[in-house]
Amino acid sequence: MIPGGGQPNMQQLLQQAQKMQQDLANAQEELARTEVEGQAGGGLVKATVTGSGELRALVIDPKAVDPEDTETLADLIVAAVQAANENAQALQQQKLGPLTQGLGGGSGIPGLPF
């Protein structure tokens, strides 16, 4: 409900939208700097990704390397990267969720792609 029953203050709405956009941009920058890890095979393979999902590092324990069984190593790498990406998605929800919740539904700002 708008106080006084008048039209919404467009300047105020614009300022709120700009602040939300800046907060969202700041959170996305923080995600790009934050690293999370995923692992597989009891830690034999560890993958590090940024909060935005960019693969930064992959560590493979020599015990995981068997020239006769490269398929298992490949599976461990895929599983570690997937685990890291799941952790990155959880971090994204934690950082961006509160910022984007108010942008959708009936109480949001029309025209924003969230």
Side-chain angles (χ1 to χ4, degrees):
M1 185 56 87
I2 299 165
Q7 291 296 316
N9 181 331
M10 293 307 289
Q11 182 65 26
Q12 187 178 16
L13 285 176
L14 184 57
Q15 287 173 347
Q16 287 175 336
Q18 288 172 337
K19 183 184 181 321
M20 286 191 300
Q21 186 178 20
Q22 186 60 47
D23 290 347
L24 190 58
N26 290 342
Q28 288 170 329
E29 286 176 28
E30 184 179 343
L31 283 172
R33 290 190 308 267
T34 304
E35 292 185 348
V36 293
E37 186 178 277
Q39 56 180 309
L44 289 175
V45 177
K46 297 178 184 175
T48 303
V49 300
T50 64
S52 57
E54 179 185 342
L55 182 62
R56 286 286 175 95
L58 190 61
V59 178
I60 301 171
D61 188 303
K63 290 181 259 176
V65 181
D66 179 357
E68 301 297 317
D69 184 15
T70 57
E71 287 180 21
T72 297
L73 178 57
D75 288 344
L76 289 173
I77 292 169
V78 169
V81 171
Q82 285 176 335
N85 279 327
E86 288 171 8
N87 291 337
Q89 287 176 351
L91 183 62
Q92 287 173 9
Q93 276 298 107
Q94 178 185 342
K95 296 285 184 192
L96 299 179
L99 295 173
T100 58
Q101 277 179 346
L103 298 178
S107 63
I109 299 172
L112 290 180
F114 301 106

